Each structure stands twice: as structure tokens, then as C-alpha cells.
Amino acid sequence: MCGIVGYLGAREAAPILLEGLRHLEYRGYDSAGIAVVANDQLHLFRRVGKVKNLAESLNGSLPKATIGIAHTRWATHGVPSESNAHPHTDCTRSLALIHNGIIENHASLRTILERGGHRFCSATDTEVLVHLIEEHLRSADDLETAVRRALAQVEGTYGIAVISTHAPGTLIVARKGSPLVIGIGRGEYICASDPTALAGATRQVIYLSDGEMAVISANGLVIKNHDNIEIDKDVSELDLELETIERCGYPHFMLKEIYEQPDTIHDALRGRLLECDGRANLDGLREVMPRILASRRIILTGCGTSWHAGLIGRYMIEQYARLPVEVEYASEFRYRDPMLDERDVVFCISQSGETADTIAAMRESLNRGALGLGICNVVGSTLARESDAGVYLHAGPEIGVASTKAFTSQLSVLALITLALARERGLTKEQGKTIIRELKSLPEKVSHILEHSEVIQQYAREFQDAENFLYLGRGYGFPAALEGALKLKEISYIHAEGYPAAEMKHGPIALIDRDMPVVVIAPQDKTYEKIIGNIEEVRARNGRVVVVANEDDPWIHTLSDYVIRIPKTLDMLHPILAMIPLQLLAYYIAVLRGCNVDQPRNLAKSVTVE
Ligand code: G6P
């Protein structure tokens, strides 16, 4: 999704802005642009494609400036093109503005502005805002007032940064619904839509809340709230090392993140297991635990991969804690007038903590009196700040658009929540200790799978030309199949579907032939015999089956030429292990097909618009 960077300080702005944009590339975008004010003039460059194109096209032609803004755009209104790329300017080219979010009333505002003589150069909703500020500058005393008045007319969401030749030493940023963070360095400020852009630059940050605006100048930083009253904000410490957002020798971030999973699972569990007591210790939930235990049901919500984690979480919590759980897409939940009150608990699951629908689901839950909890990775994200309480994943930045390590950390955290609840609801100490033992062995088992990835590479070569894939599983294996299929389609553009294995007979079986590989998740659990039956059904129709089976399964090789073996664990933790080969299979196939694995076409890392 779109990315914002702004700079004001003593150093040359352009290299810092471009470096910030490079750190935001992982979010997915289709064009990029930069604007600086130098010698009382605005200088603007925009390019379709990568930040690299933009940097090359500048080629020293940008005058030295110490204030500027830069943007990566992910098209919503208007195709990716130079004229639709940000920054946008007003009629007199004295203002430059970058924007994340969507201005919902842009059409009506545009009509009014065009009638008033404003000339538009793009098909974007954003351009309305810069003309609106221009309009208000006619009567306002200063840029800040004009920006404030313009924003008051806007319906929708925004994170913006504005510079102007009228106030050449002022950078204004504001937020409503789209994140904005201000990094404070020595005599300089770097603003961004995502703290990742600040890595290596500063650790001192202020997160703007909705309705707040910051005016930054050589005199310092002034933050005002929605009512135009100056406020004090806490400065937070950003825990982000530069090397954690670099590839460290891996060809792609996605592969690096897949290989980080022994550590990230360990980090999700660290300090949270009370071994001798067979319990989980989740500080973030301690105060709200009585309310969760007294609730009538738990709702797990999220989008994409995080929604899949919720599906597995439901199986875990219902199996062990015997509390009723519902799972719903955040986008559906927020709009369907859900029956929800103070007796309910809603866990919003989100790697980024910035997904627009998930945040809206959290707000809806809180408005209706439910307990709103977050399971998220990004510290200080909107979800983390707005929820009643929650649990962090501690997985470190996830840069690859396709979520990998965040997913297995979400499952690890959901297992901890399950253990914490179950021990209050009748699970014995010994049973608790068994879960802990298995949880603790996960990092080593994941390492073991990663060490034997050659077989997966070999299968990837075999199946790289397939046009369709089917993924099947039962019980815990069903949501794992959905996630396996999602990984493949996201990065390789192969059409892939996940199904509960028993449902195959109700439709997908009609599609099976030699050209459609079927990936079957087949642990030796209570549905083992049934899933073997499903494999036979595929074979009987000449289908080719890739089986993810247990290490010591003695029969499976008689049923398939393509067997990926993984260590045994508890049923509830099996998806964590099964996911590793499925991520690798998707990765290797996508690489063989020449796809851009880290930034797949049309996808965004964090979907901050509806
Ligand atoms: C996007 C990403 C997915 C992610 C989903 C939810 O679609 O491409 O990888 O699963 O958003 O993101 P969240 O940050 O809320 O987990």
C-alpha cells in the first residue's frame, strides 16, 4: 500500500527520503515520487515503477534542499501513471502533498473546485485535497490553518504530509485512519507512514493519533488535536535494527523470513511458559482474563493469512478450553450489524496492526461494549494502541508481502492463549505440561524441516508449470490447506484452492486429472484413514498427490511418489509444522516461474484502505 516519508532538518533531504522509500518498498506499490522546496521553489519528480527508477531519473537534477516529501503509491483511484503518482500540486505549483487513505467525497469536492477555476491533472482522490488547501490559503493566515480547514471538509481516511513555498521551512503532517509516525533525530525530523522507514535514522518516535496534526519547523514540533489544542505526546523508543529489515544474504525477504521461524516461534513463546505449573503466562491478558473466562463466546477476526490463523485458533480453543468460538472475516463482521455486547470477547488478529477492516472491526467491537483484544506484531500499531489489551508476536518486521513467520507466530500465540484459558477450565497440570513440552520442541522441529528442503525444491521443479492446484486437509489440516493455497496463489499466480478433504466429492473432484496437482495434509490423527481414502480417490482419477505426512508414517510412500515428511507433534500444533513445507513449495515454484516473490503484483503488505 501507499507509503509516506517526509524530512525536515539540516541534512540534504532527497537521499534520506529515497532511503525511507526503499524501506517501504515491501508494502507493495506501483509508482513513486518526491518533492522538495529549494530556493523558494518546488521541485517535483514522479515515476511509474520502482523507487530505483525514480532515483535514477533524478540523476543529480534535484537542487539541494533540507525539506521534502516522498511517496510510494498503490493505485486505488486512477491507473498507475506519472500524473497519478504523488506528490500532487496545486494550480500554482506552490504546494506539494502526499496522501495515504481514501477521500470518499472527492467527486463532489472536485466538482466544486473545478467550478471555482481549479485545474486538475490526475484521476486521483488525493488531488482534491491539495486544491482545497490552495483554496483555503486565499483566506487563511498560514499554511497550518489552510490545511486544517481543508481537512475539515474531507470525508474518509488520510495520512498526509504537505510542504509549500509559502512556508518553505514548514512540514505539516496529519492523520485520520492512516498511520503516521514522527521520528525525532538530532536537529531533524523524519515522518513516515510506517516506522520501518525510520530504521537506521532514529529511535525516538511519536505516533500520531486520529485527528492530530503536527507542524514541524526549525523551531521544533507542535502537535495539535482535533480541537486545535496543543497537546503533549509521549516519545516512544523504536526497537528496530537496520539489519532486521535487510536480506542478510538471502535472495528474498520471504525466504529469510521462512528460515527465521525457529527463532520467531521461540520468541513468541519466550518468557510465557510456566513449565512446572503447566500454564501460560500472558502479561498482556492478565487483567482481562476473568472477563474472557466469563464471556459467552469468543470471536476471532482478521483478514487474509491472519483470518486463517483465527480458523486454527478456533479449533484450538474449542478443543482444549471448551469455550464457544466464532471466526469471521473482519470486512464482513464490521458491516453486517453483528450481535455483540459486553458479554463477548473479540480478538482481532493482524500482523501489521494497520489493516483497515481489522481496525474497523476492533472499533465496532469496542463501541458495542465487547472486550476488544489484539494479537499483532507491530509494536505501537493502531490496533495495539486502540485495543483493550492484547498479545504481541515479537516476530520482528515481516517484509515479504506474503505472510510467513507472522502466521506461525500467530498460531504459537493462539496456542498460548488456549493453554491459559484451558488451565482455568479444567485442563490438568500434566496435560498443560504436555502442551508446553510440545510447544518448546517446535523450533527444533521447524529447523529440521528447513534442513531438508531439497525434496521440496525438487517437487517445485516437477510442478512449476501447473495452472491449478488443490490443497486438502481435515480438522486442523483444513485451515492449513487454505493457507497453503493462499501462499501459492499470492506469489506464483497459480490458481490454487483449499478445501476440507471431505468436500472434494462435492465439486472439486470434477477437476482432477494429471494436470492438477493435489496437496494433501495427512497427519496420523483421528482422520488419517479418511484422508487416505481421499488420496485414493485422487489417484483413481489419475491425479498426482503431494502428501505432507508424518516422519514415521510407514504406508504413505505406497500411495504417492511425492511425500514431504515432517516431525510428529500435537494435532493442535501440527499446522505450524505443516506450513513450513507449504511456504517453501510456494516460494520455490514462484522463483522458478520468475515471479517477484517479495512484492507480488497487485498485492500490498498492509491493506490500509477498505
Ligand atoms: C494483506 C497481506 C497478507 C495479510 C493480510 C492481513 O493482504 O498481503 O499477507 O495476511 O493483508 O494483514 P494483517 O497485517 O492484518 O495481518
Side-chain angles (χ1 to χ4, degrees):
M1 289 262 129
C2 303
I4 284 178
V5 191
Y7 178 80
L8 186 149
R11 291 189 287 159
E12 188 179 351
I16 299 165
L17 293 169
L18 290 171
E19 186 61 13
L21 288 189
R22 280 185 204 106
H23 291 166
L24 294 181
E25 286 195 289
Y26 77 98
R27 294 166 62 94
Y29 67 102
D30 39 53
S31 49
I34 185 168
V36 298
V37 174
N39 312 322
D40 290 341
Q41 274 198 335
L42 192 70
H43 303 266
L44 174 78
F45 279 86
R46 299 178 292 189
R47 285 292 176 270
V48 175
K50 297 295 167 196
V51 172
K52 196 163 160 270
N53 296 358
L54 177 71
E56 282 167 5
S57 73
L58 292 178
N59 196 21
S61 48
L62 212 54
K64 282 202 169 37
T66 53
I67 179 170
I69 55 178
H71 190 262
T72 46
R73 172 174 187 255
W74 187 83
T76 58
H77 295 62
V79 296
S81 67
E82 234 163 74
S83 55
N84 286 337
H86 301 210
H88 288 284
T89 58
D90 60 332
C91 301
T92 58
R93 252 181 109 93
S94 59
L95 283 166
L97 174 141
I98 52 180
H99 165 230
N100 288 0
I102 290 180
I103 295 171
E104 285 164 7
N105 58 339
H106 68 98
S108 55
L109 289 173
R110 185 172 178 141
T111 309
I112 298 166
L113 287 161
E114 277 175 341
R115 273 194 209 127
H118 290 264
R119 295 180 322 278
F120 282 74
C121 307
S122 79
T124 65
D125 54 331
T126 300
E127 200 186 348
V128 158
L129 195 46
V130 73
H131 288 281
L132 210 51
I133 297 171
E134 179 184 27
E135 187 63 31
H136 283 292
L137 264 175
R138 289 184 186 160
S139 55
D141 293 339
D142 52 29
L143 182 63
E144 179 193 343
T145 313
V147 173
R148 183 173 299 284
R149 287 183 189 160
L151 291 176
Q153 284 181 269
V154 159
E155 286 163 22
T157 54
Y158 56 78
I160 58 158
V162 188
I163 52 173
S164 164
T165 55
H166 298 294
T170 305
L171 168 65
I172 296 185
V173 293
R175 107 159 235 180
K176 184 183 156 208
S178 282
L180 252 173
V181 58
I182 303 171
I184 305 167
R186 278 209 196 112
E188 62 181 12
Y189 298 91
I190 308 177
C191 311
S193 50
D194 178 333
T196 315
L198 309 180
T202 177
R203 284 175 178 277
Q204 306 292 306
V205 296
I206 291 177
Y207 294 98
L208 282 196
S209 300
D210 276 352
E212 291 175 354
M213 181 195 276
V215 180
I216 304 165
S217 67
N219 299 333
L221 169 70
V222 176
I223 301 179
K224 294 187 178 170
N225 67 11
H226 185 260
D227 300 319
N228 201 12
I229 295 170
E230 200 173 322
I231 50 170
D232 282 332
K233 297 274 293 182
D234 289 339
V235 177
S236 312
E237 181 86 8
L238 190 64
D239 184 17
L240 195 61
E241 299 293 343
L242 199 50
E243 55 268 28
T244 58
I245 61 162
E246 288 177 345
R247 288 207 309 267
C248 304
Y250 284 91
H252 298 99
F253 280 111
M254 183 175 175
L255 191 64
K256 173 181 174 236
E257 286 156 8
I258 291 173
Y259 272 82
E260 277 172 2
Q261 287 175 108
D263 293 333
T264 49
I265 293 170
H266 182 260
D267 290 343
L269 303 175
R270 201 208 314 254
R272 291 169 166 175
L273 296 172
L274 301 175
E275 281 190 80
C276 19
D277 219 11
R279 285 179 190 276
N281 168 39
L282 291 165
D283 278 342
L285 295 184
R286 185 170 300 146
E287 280 181 20
V288 295
M289 214 44 166
R291 194 162 158 204
I292 305 177
L293 289 163
S295 68
R296 66 173 170 173
R297 64 172 173 169
I298 292 173
I299 295 166
L300 304 177
T301 189
C303 303
T305 291
S306 296
W307 179 73
H308 291 156
L311 292 177
I312 296 170
R314 167 168 65 189
Y315 285 32
M316 291 178 178
I317 297 172
E318 291 200 341
Q319 180 186 354
Y320 283 96
R322 309 303 295 157
L323 276 164
V325 181
E326 287 169 24
V327 188
E328 195 160 342
Y329 283 117
S331 54
E332 290 299 312
F333 179 71
R334 60 179 291 198
Y335 282 123
R336 70 170 176 84
D337 194 10
M339 287 171 62
L340 199 65
D341 60 35
E342 64 285 348
R343 294 168 296 175
D344 299 309
V345 174
V346 180
F347 275 100
C348 291
I349 307 173
S350 173
Q351 185 283 129
S352 61
E354 301 294 353
T355 300
D357 283 320
T358 310
I359 289 166
M362 167 63 70
R363 290 178 181 157
E364 186 65 25
S365 309
L366 296 174
N367 283 344
R368 291 178 187 235
L371 181 66
L373 305 174
I375 298 177
C376 87
N377 191 31
V378 178
V379 176
S381 59
T382 305
L383 186 70
R385 284 179 291 124
E386 293 195 9
S387 48
D388 285 321
V391 187
Y392 278 123
L393 305 181
H394 299 310
E398 189 179 65
I399 307 290
V401 163
S403 185
T404 52
K405 63 175 180 174
F407 181 64
T408 49
S409 293
Q410 286 166 340
L411 297 186
S412 306
V413 163
L414 284 161
L416 289 172
I417 293 171
T418 300
L419 175 59
L421 294 173
R423 284 289 280 120
E424 299 296 326
R425 291 179 52 84
L427 190 86
T428 65
K429 184 162 138 181
E430 285 315 309
Q431 288 169 316
K433 282 182 168 179
T434 305
I435 293 177
I436 289 181
R437 226 180 2 257
E438 288 297 328
L439 278 168
K440 285 188 71 178
S441 70
L442 285 174
E444 203 185 314
K445 289 177 180 173
V446 171
S447 294
H448 177 79
I449 300 169
L450 291 169
E451 279 159 20
H452 295 87
S453 65
E454 325 76 52
V455 67
I456 303 165
Q457 292 193 50
Q458 184 192 322
Y459 296 171
R461 282 192 288 275
E462 186 87 17
F463 294 109
Q464 60 172 302
D465 295 322
E467 290 306 321
N468 298 285
F469 259 79
L470 187 62
Y471 285 70
L472 301 176
R474 285 173 179 261
Y476 284 103
F478 160 51
L482 291 180
E483 174 61 10
L486 178 64
K487 285 288 88 71
L488 186 70
K489 83 177 100 175
E490 278 178 313
I491 59 168
S492 74
Y493 317 140
I494 295 175
H495 170 240
E497 300 260 13
Y499 261 90
E503 279 292 306
M504 181 177 67
K505 288 204 224 19
H506 300 287
I509 199 164
L511 303 172
I512 288 174
D513 59 17
R514 266 198 72 72
D515 296 329
M516 180 152 95
V518 181
V519 178
V520 182
I521 300 164
Q524 286 165 297
D525 62 10
K526 64 181 180 201
T527 62
Y528 181 67
E529 303 299 331
K530 307 268 179 221
I531 208 129
I532 295 299
N534 297 128
I535 294 173
E536 296 282 19
E537 286 157 8
V538 174
R539 276 161 46 92
R541 284 152 188 88
N542 290 322
R544 289 183 298 167
V545 188
V546 179
V547 191
V548 180
N550 282 349
E551 232 158 34
D552 53 358
D553 183 326
W555 315 113
I556 205 73
H557 65 281
T558 64
L559 294 177
S560 172
D561 293 334
Y562 309 102
V563 180
I564 300 168
R565 294 188 179 268
I566 60 174
K568 244 189 159 136
T569 183
L570 291 177
D571 292 355
M572 121 167 136
L573 304 179
H574 186 267
I576 296 179
L577 298 185
M579 200 40 57
I580 311 297
L582 298 188
Q583 292 167 349
L584 285 170
L585 185 66
Y587 171 79
Y588 288 125
I589 289 178
V591 170
L592 286 166
R593 289 168 72 101
C595 299
N596 184 345
V597 174
D598 283 334
Q599 290 161 37
R601 69 178 180 212
N602 303 340
L603 294 181
K605 179 66 185 156
S606 133
V607 180
T608 49
V609 295
E610 285 180 43

